[in-house]
Coordinates of all heavy atoms in Angstrom, one line a residue:
E266 N 50.6 155.0 70.9 CA 50.0 156.0 71.9 C 50.7 157.3 71.8 O 50.0 158.4 71.7 CB 50.3 155.5 73.4 CG 49.8 156.4 74.4 CD 50.5 156.3 75.8 OE1 51.1 155.2 76.0 OE2 50.5 157.2 76.6
L267 N 52.0 157.3 71.6 CA 52.7 158.6 71.5 C 52.2 159.3 70.2 O 51.9 160.6 70.3 CB 54.2 158.3 71.3 CG 55.2 159.5 71.3 CD1 56.5 159.2 71.8 CD2 55.3 160.1 69.8
A268 N 52.1 158.6 69.1 CA 51.7 159.2 67.9 C 50.2 159.8 67.9 O 49.9 160.9 67.4 CB 51.8 158.2 66.7
I269 N 49.3 159.0 68.5 CA 47.9 159.4 68.6 C 47.8 160.7 69.5 O 47.1 161.6 69.2 CB 47.0 158.3 69.1 CG1 46.9 157.2 68.1 CG2 45.7 158.8 69.6 CD1 46.2 157.7 66.8
V270 N 48.5 160.6 70.6 CA 48.5 161.8 71.5 C 49.0 163.0 70.8 O 48.5 164.1 70.9 CB 49.4 161.5 72.8 CG1 49.6 162.8 73.6 CG2 48.7 160.5 73.7
A271 N 50.1 162.8 70.0 CA 50.7 163.9 69.2 C 49.7 164.5 68.2 O 49.5 165.7 68.1 CB 51.9 163.5 68.6
A272 N 49.0 163.6 67.5 CA 48.1 164.0 66.5 C 46.9 164.7 67.1 O 46.4 165.8 66.6 CB 47.6 162.8 65.7
V273 N 46.4 164.2 68.2 CA 45.2 164.8 68.9 C 45.6 166.2 69.4 O 44.9 167.2 69.3 CB 44.7 163.9 70.0 CG1 43.7 164.7 70.9 CG2 44.1 162.7 69.4
T274 N 46.8 166.3 69.9 CA 47.3 167.6 70.4 C 47.4 168.6 69.3 O 47.0 169.8 69.5 CB 48.7 167.4 71.1 OG1 48.7 166.5 72.2 CG2 49.3 168.7 71.6
I275 N 47.9 168.2 68.2 CA 48.0 169.1 67.0 C 46.6 169.7 66.7 O 46.4 170.9 66.5 CB 48.6 168.4 65.8 CG1 50.1 168.2 66.1 CG2 48.5 169.3 64.6 CD1 50.8 167.3 65.1
L276 N 45.6 168.8 66.6 CA 44.2 169.1 66.2 C 43.5 170.0 67.3 O 42.7 170.8 67.0 CB 43.4 167.9 65.9 CG 43.9 167.1 64.7 CD1 43.1 165.8 64.6 CD2 43.8 167.9 63.4
A277 N 43.9 169.7 68.6 CA 43.2 170.4 69.7 C 43.8 171.8 70.0 O 43.2 172.5 70.7 CB 43.3 169.5 70.9
T278 N 45.0 172.1 69.4 CA 45.6 173.3 69.8 C 45.7 174.2 68.5 O 46.6 175.1 68.5 CB 47.0 173.1 70.3 OG1 47.8 172.3 69.4 CG2 47.0 172.3 71.6
T279 N 44.8 174.1 67.6 CA 44.9 174.9 66.4 C 44.8 176.4 66.6 O 45.3 177.2 65.8 CB 43.8 174.4 65.4 OG1 42.5 174.5 66.0 CG2 44.1 173.0 64.9
R280 N 44.1 176.8 67.7 CA 43.9 178.2 68.0 C 45.1 178.8 68.7 O 45.2 180.1 68.8 CB 42.7 178.4 68.8 CG 41.4 178.0 68.1 CD 40.2 178.3 69.0 NE 38.9 177.9 68.3 CZ 38.3 178.7 67.4 NH1 38.8 179.9 67.1 NH2 37.2 178.3 66.8
L281 N 46.1 178.0 69.1 CA 47.3 178.6 69.8 C 48.2 179.2 68.7 O 48.3 178.7 67.6 CB 48.0 177.5 70.5 CG 47.5 177.0 71.9 CD1 48.5 176.0 72.4 CD2 47.5 178.2 72.9
S282 N 48.7 180.3 69.0 CA 49.7 181.0 68.1 C 50.9 180.1 68.0 O 51.2 179.3 68.9 CB 50.1 182.4 68.6 OG 50.8 182.3 69.8
S283 N 51.6 180.3 66.9 CA 52.8 179.5 66.7 C 53.9 179.7 67.8 O 54.5 178.8 68.3 CB 53.5 179.8 65.4 OG 53.7 181.2 65.2
R284 N 54.0 181.0 68.3 CA 54.9 181.3 69.3 C 54.6 180.6 70.6 O 55.4 180.0 71.3 CB 55.0 182.8 69.5 CG 56.0 183.3 70.6 CD 56.0 184.8 70.6 NE 57.0 185.3 71.6 CZ 56.8 185.6 72.9 NH1 55.6 185.4 73.3 NH2 57.8 186.0 73.7
S285 N 53.3 180.7 71.0 CA 52.8 180.0 72.2 C 53.0 178.5 72.2 O 53.4 177.9 73.1 CB 51.4 180.4 72.5 OG 51.2 181.7 72.7
T286 N 52.8 178.0 71.0 CA 52.9 176.5 70.8 C 54.4 176.1 71.0 O 54.7 175.1 71.7 CB 52.5 176.2 69.4 OG1 51.1 176.5 69.2 CG2 52.6 174.7 69.2
M287 N 55.3 176.9 70.4 CA 56.7 176.5 70.5 C 57.2 176.6 71.9 O 57.9 175.8 72.4 CB 57.6 177.4 69.6 CG 57.4 177.1 68.1 SD 58.6 178.0 67.0 CE 58.2 179.7 67.3
L288 N 56.8 177.7 72.6 CA 57.3 177.9 74.0 C 56.7 176.8 74.9 O 57.4 176.3 75.8 CB 56.9 179.3 74.5 CG 57.6 180.5 73.8 CD1 57.1 181.8 74.3 CD2 59.1 180.4 73.8
A289 N 55.5 176.4 74.7 CA 54.9 175.4 75.5 C 55.6 174.1 75.3 O 55.8 173.3 76.3 CB 53.4 175.2 75.2
A290 N 56.0 173.8 74.1 CA 56.8 172.6 73.8 C 58.1 172.5 74.6 O 58.4 171.5 75.2 CB 57.0 172.5 72.3
L291 N 58.8 173.7 74.6 CA 60.1 173.7 75.3 C 59.9 173.5 76.8 O 60.7 172.9 77.4 CB 60.8 175.0 75.0 CG 61.2 175.2 73.5 CD1 61.6 176.7 73.2 CD2 62.3 174.3 73.2
V292 N 58.8 174.1 77.4 CA 58.6 173.9 78.8 C 58.3 172.5 79.1 O 58.8 171.9 80.1 CB 57.4 174.8 79.2 CG1 57.0 174.5 80.6 CG2 57.8 176.3 79.1
L293 N 57.5 171.8 78.3 CA 57.1 170.4 78.5 C 58.2 169.4 78.4 O 58.2 168.3 78.9 CB 55.9 170.0 77.6 CG 54.6 170.6 78.0 CD1 53.6 170.3 76.9 CD2 54.1 169.9 79.3
M294 N 59.3 169.8 77.6 CA 60.4 168.8 77.4 C 61.0 168.4 78.7 O 61.5 167.3 78.9 CB 61.4 169.4 76.5 CG 61.0 169.5 75.1 SD 62.3 170.3 74.0 CE 61.3 170.6 72.5
I295 N 61.1 169.3 79.7 CA 61.8 169.1 81.0 C 61.1 168.0 81.8 O 61.8 167.0 82.2 CB 62.0 170.4 81.7 CG1 62.9 171.3 80.9 CG2 62.7 170.1 83.1 CD1 63.0 172.7 81.5
P296 N 59.8 168.1 82.1 CA 59.2 167.0 82.9 C 59.1 165.7 82.1 O 59.1 164.6 82.7 CB 57.8 167.6 83.2 CG 57.5 168.7 82.2 CD 58.9 169.2 81.9
T297 N 59.1 165.8 80.7 CA 59.0 164.6 79.9 C 60.3 163.8 80.1 O 60.2 162.5 80.3 CB 58.8 165.0 78.4 OG1 57.6 165.7 78.3 CG2 58.7 163.7 77.6
V298 N 61.5 164.4 80.0 CA 62.7 163.6 80.1 C 62.8 163.0 81.5 O 63.3 161.9 81.7 CB 64.0 164.4 79.7 CG1 64.0 164.7 78.3 CG2 64.1 165.6 80.6
A299 N 62.3 163.8 82.5 CA 62.3 163.3 83.9 C 61.5 162.0 84.0 O 61.9 161.1 84.7 CB 61.8 164.4 84.8

Side-chain angles (χ1 to χ4, degrees):
E266 177 203 342
L267 185 152
I269 288 298
V270 168
V273 170
T274 299
I275 289 168
L276 296 174
T278 58
T279 55
R280 294 184 180 276
L281 281 180
S282 69
S283 55
R284 181 174 184 270
S285 298
T286 301
M287 290 191 298
L288 295 180
L291 293 169
V292 170
L293 283 172
M294 287 179 195
I295 299 171
T297 301
V298 293

